[in-house]
Amino acid sequence: DQQVKQNSPSLSVQEGRISILNCDYTNSMFDYFLWYKKYPAEGPTFLISISSIKDKNEDGRFTVFLNKSAKHLSLHIVPSQPGDSAVYFCAASVSGNTPLVFGKGTRLSVIA
Amino acid sequence: GAVVSQHPSRVICKSGTSVKIECRSLDFQATTMFWYRQFPKQSLMLMATSNEGSKATYEQGVEKDKFLINHASLTLSTLTVTSAHPEDSSFYICSARVPLFRPEAFFGQGTRLTVV
């Protein structure tokens, strides 16, 4: 059973517009949620995270929103740039030295 | 951020041979490292948790005799794919966390293994 789900395999957005990537989870024990960006044949690069005690975290063009009651989080990128085109993975973890659990990823294409 | 280095980035080997992949934490000590595998257009699937000085913990369905993990020091974990077969061809990635300071995990560059 998949604990972290990204139901949209792909998303296309016009340059300058907002990109919204969604993620749902089932395990209520998760207390940290993270977004990673990945290019082909490279390891994932950390983008932004949010603790379960918060509902929003912002870093430049990237904002992550967490709705604990709905077990849902989203990543907003605004304004979107062509260089943002990549696969974005949502991940979740339980505190401590435990592995991250990943969603299947969403391929974002930002069109100039 | 913390740096994790993985080597080699790409390897091609013949069926039946073994391949070793190294994962190093360059600027921090990692008592635990994680090994993932990614199939084309799929998610990152956890294979095993590598623990310094003790046996690795393997996920269900991962053959421990085929994927040998050694975590001999606080900065190095190795994954050896033994008697490789074409179905072992995949993208392997290691990661480590610095749990006392940061919630995120840092990833190596990944290794593209092709078994011919």
Side-chain angles (χ1 to χ4, degrees):
Chain A
D1 182 34
Q2 223 181 334
Q3 296 185 69
V4 178
K5 300 177 185 178
Q6 292 176 260
N7 292 320
S8 298
S10 63
L11 174 68
S12 286
V13 172
Q14 206 81 32
E15 180 180 7
R17 298 291 186 104
I18 185 171
S19 295
I20 300 176
L21 297 101
N22 293 303
C23 178
D24 298 292
Y25 63 95
T26 58
N27 188 344
S28 56
M29 298 298 290
F30 289 140
D31 53 8
Y32 259 109
F33 304 90
L34 310 95
W35 285 93
Y36 283 82
K37 179 179 180 180
K38 187 181 182 300
Y39 294 111
E42 292 184 11
T45 303
F46 170 73
L47 272 179
I48 192 169
S49 66
I50 188 167
S51 161
S52 60
I53 62 173
K54 295 187 175 181
D55 55 18
K56 178 182 175 181
N57 187 26
E58 190 173 352
D59 183 3
R61 296 186 299 116
F62 302 93
T63 304
V64 57
F65 295 93
L66 175 63
N67 182 335
K68 278 181 62 179
S69 61
K71 292 193 176 67
H72 176 84
L73 63 152
S74 61
L75 174 68
H76 293 212
I77 307 173
V78 56
S80 301
Q81 300 173 353
D84 296 329
S85 298
V87 177
Y88 288 77
F89 286 95
C90 172
S93 77
V94 177
S95 287
N97 212 357
T98 55
L100 300 182
V101 179
F102 286 87
K104 288 191 173 181
T106 297
R107 181 176 300 278
L108 174 66
S109 299
V110 180
I111 304 161
Chain B
V3 179
V4 175
S5 177
Q6 190 172 338
H7 178 81
S9 58
R10 181 178 304 184
V11 59
I12 300 173
C13 70
K14 291 184 178 180
S15 285
T17 61
S18 295
V19 173
K20 181 186 282 188
I21 302 169
E22 293 187 348
C23 181
R24 294 181 185 271
S25 55
L26 297 187
D27 52 359
F28 67 101
Q29 293 182 334
T31 55
T32 304
M33 290 187 178
F34 307 101
W35 287 94
Y36 291 84
R37 180 176 181 176
Q38 186 185 25
F39 292 102
K41 298 184 180 180
Q42 294 291 316
S43 184
L44 296 153
M45 301 303 297
L46 179 67
M47 297 175 65
T49 300
S50 168
N51 303 298
E52 188 268 334
S54 65
K55 291 183 180 180
T57 305
Y58 290 83
E59 295 300 300
Q60 192 172 12
V62 178
E63 298 176 60
K64 61 180 181 180
D65 294 330
K66 178 162 195 62
F67 299 101
L68 298 179
I69 290 172
N70 186 290
H71 195 149
S73 77
L74 287 171
T75 58
L76 173 64
S77 174
T78 60
L79 168 67
T80 302
V81 183
T82 63
S83 186
H85 290 280
E87 56 265 32
D88 298 325
S89 299
S90 191
F91 191 62
Y92 295 87
I93 313 174
C94 68
S95 79
R97 296 179 70 177
V98 191
L100 294 180
F101 305 102
R102 311 275 289 271
E104 66 268 31
F106 298 94
F107 286 83
Q109 304 92 320
T111 298
R112 168 70 62 194
L113 171 63
T114 303
V115 184
V116 297

